[in-house]
Amino acid sequence: MKKVHYVGVIALLLLFFATSTSYAQAKFGIKGGVNLSNFYSGDDVSDNNLKPGFQAGLYVKAPIIEDVLFIQPELLYTRKGAQSTYSNFIQGSGKYQFGLGYAQLPVLLGVDLGIFNIHAGPYVAYLTDAKVKDVDNDGSINGVTDLNRDNFNSLDYGLSGGIGLDFEAAQIGLRYDLGLREIGASGLAGELTKNYKNSAIQLYVGFHF
């Protein structure tokens, strides 16, 4: 709960600065891109593989100090997850595919370096949907019926940071999300995810006006 408090306070402070700036020069836009997501923990994660996903949403880039410092809040739908392989006598060989959908609000503070920028800040996210598949090596899908959204923590939070390129009417960037909360709530979800947290590499393109 202390982590939630700290992340919430930082997000509120950054949003305060955002609303305190002049939006006359703010850039409003839409963005989308691809995610390469995974789970991580302090334990061995060698059996967890990157899972492709996507992100899409809205953003506002507002200057705090023109051409030097900016703030960029975003509202995104983002797909995260991982693929966990298994091999045993009872199940045979295959992999679990975890697909988690979030409504995510990152609030990023950035520094402009010409057309380049670096940015970082906290995010909070709400789990909107969850889908877990058991895929055999032959490609057949066996649904994990015991798992649904209720088995996962509905709130996620963490830190985002990356680099970007700004153009007259567009931006592109590479970003990393580091989750700070365990995704599994209880029962089978907790056992399968083994205290894992979200992580994701994101490549995005945005268009603003």
Side-chain angles (χ1 to χ4, degrees), residues 101-125:
Y102 291 92
Q104 182 166 313
L105 174 66
V107 183
L108 307 164
L109 187 66
V111 177
D112 282 317
L113 304 169
I115 65 170
F116 292 92
N117 72 71
I118 56 175
H119 53 268
Y123 77 80
V124 292

Side-chain angles (χ1 to χ4, degrees), residues 128-209:
T128 60
D129 59 278
K131 181 179 292 185
V132 183
K133 295 179 181 179
D134 179 3
V135 183
D136 293 338
N137 272 351
D138 61 5
S140 60
I141 298 175
N142 305 307
V144 183
T145 57
D146 291 352
L147 291 179
N148 55 46
R149 182 186 170 281
D150 294 335
N151 299 116
F152 296 89
N153 286 319
S154 58
L155 180 68
D156 187 30
Y157 51 85
L159 300 173
S160 293
I163 57 175
L165 283 171
D166 283 305
F167 303 100
E168 184 67 24
Q171 62 174 220
I172 61 174
L174 182 66
R175 186 179 297 167
Y176 181 70
D177 274 3
L178 179 69
L180 299 178
R181 192 182 194 199
E182 297 172 1
I183 63 169
S186 61
L188 183 57
E191 293 177 10
L192 289 177
T193 56
K194 299 178 182 178
N195 302 318
Y196 291 153
K197 302 171 185 177
N198 280 311
S199 69
I201 299 170
Q202 302 175 331
L203 178 63
Y204 64 87
V205 178
F207 301 95
H208 48 253
F209 50 89

